[in-house]
Amino acid sequence: MALATGTLQWEIDATGNVIERAILQSIEDCGTSITAAKLILPRVHGYVVRNDFFHRRFLTCSLAEKVLDCIPLQQFIPAFDVNANDVLQRGMKGAVGAILLKPIPGFSTDLVKSALAILEEETDARLSFSWILETPLPRKRIAMIDGRPNPSVSTASQGIYRAVQALGVDLVVLDSAGHWVQDSTMEDMRDEFIPCDLKMDEGLVDRIVAALSTSKGRIDGITTYTDTHILATAQAARKMGLPANPPEALEMCRDKYKTRSFASSGVPVLSVTNIADLDEQLRQLSSPLEFPLIVKPTTGCASDGVSKVTCEAELCGAVQRNEEKFPGTNALVEPYVSGPEVDANFVIVDGKLIWSEINDDFPSSAEMSTSTSPSMSFAELSTIMPSMLPESEISLLKSSLTQTLLKMGFRNGVYHLEARVKDSKKTYTDTGRGMELADNTVQSSTTNPSVFLIEINPRLPGHQESFAVEYTYGIDYFALQMLLATAPPVSEMESDKGKTFKNAILALSHPLAETAQYPSHIVFIPADRGGTFGGAKPLPGGIMDYVPEHAIFTQAGEVIPDPEEEGKWPFVAYFLVMGKIAGRGWQAREQVRAVGDILRKTFIYEMA
């Protein structure tokens, strides 16, 4: 449908009359260009899976000026009859969504037809699957432990609250009194706020249960998006008879020594409290440890306190630093396994893997360290998706890591794992254009690759990676974790309500077709020195054309301790770089990698 139009101003109302109003306004404006609007009409009866479904599926559609969702949740959608009269009028009334094409200068109808043909292909790539539910997804009341920072000042919670509103979840937030979401002006963000002391101590689980017992309505599930509260959340859910990951498995994931002992039983690892304990355990070994080794806290995150050591003196120094910087936390001593590192994200429902993706985690500064350019930082620098590893190694990672999760007892959830491919056919190399995976010419053709698990995080990946996954694949991990917090038991999974739940998860786990998948590059900027942050210089506009999401984490005037002394490299900023070439070809990958490298070199911040 092509219209002569000027600048259109509209807003969505409950009746979906936005297209009709747009036409009337375009006639009134008598513009000098052609804009085409594409209507999305339902072929079957049912209910939309989320109320911003089309907007989220077309995030990377470069032809779309605006994407509209016209049908609210739990409103019945009748199938559209193309054979009845008044097709155009009924189409405007019955559209479940619409796409406004970017304005095309002049009045060339051939150009408009060509653009609409391409948009049709884009629509097929993004919507060719069952996304209309036969019955409405039951409205659920879910408690979230830790309300997270305000979305207006932090990107960390934007995806969470967006998913809550899109799914029609009645959210109950537990956090300390005075939290921003408790304010009466934030009532549209949640259904209820319950003050609760979330201090990490032995009484936390009972306090959560007691707080939820005062809720004004029945609680259907409990979830959290913070590492620190995962175990307590599951224990509280078990006490209340609600769906939860097995607390025993979560305990194992929280302690990296327990994880390593379970998942890599043949790998020699130590968990030591101090230098004296290290000496005692080394004496008891039947054979000496082989260097290089990795030393890190058994419980920790964000690569804090991770060290690579090449001799016994360095080993003792790393254990000593761990004791000083992380009192009360043992140090894990394990072999350093070379090979490409990956992030692996899995969605499991009823013990079955329904979605997974692997992305490449580029070497840290410590791994690229040389005598002329030394570094102790294991902070992340770059993550690119999709992975460029061979398909055989991707399949190996998915199979091995899924089996580990199931063996530990996980059945429903979103899981984020980190691993390496030992003896991979690929290795990171300076190609002259930058660091990239290339053929491993020194690897023996007779040695088979194997998976070395680094850690298991029984939750979605960090928000930066979660954003990238949605842009590249169309999968919203925030929404999936929220729904999986109410996963019905196996005995009910095939009931009518269980089928609706499973169909909703399947719809939200359906990726974009490869022709609509644009590679993404997450560029992390860790602090490389201590001091008082003075701000960052703006990046060139051409670079920012590739950046749909970014954040400067450090505020002007904020003091950052010396990372080398603290063993912590906090992120100053991050940028999500999206390519403009779709698919898994070399050109698409090279574009997004190169733009990210340029961004890193041109991002300058001041430190006094």
Side-chain angles (χ1 to χ4, degrees), residues 61-82:
C61 180
S62 59
L63 288 172
E65 176 75 10
K66 192 175 186 69
V67 180
L68 304 169
D69 288 87
C70 301
I71 301 296
L73 282 173
Q74 299 196 331
Q75 177 176 313
F76 178 71
I77 302 171
F80 187 79
D81 184 1
V82 296

Side-chain angles (χ1 to χ4, degrees), residues 360-363 379-384 521-524 596-597 600:
D360 295 326
D361 195 348
F362 277 54
E380 288 184 89
L381 294 176
S382 286
T383 300
I384 294 183
H521 182 177
I522 310 169
V523 179
F524 294 100
D597 285 355
R600 187 184 303 282

Side-chain angles (χ1 to χ4, degrees), residues 214-225:
T214 68
S215 178
K216 64 183 182 181
R218 187 191 71 180
I219 302 296
D220 298 303
I222 314 176
T223 193
T224 185
Y225 291 84

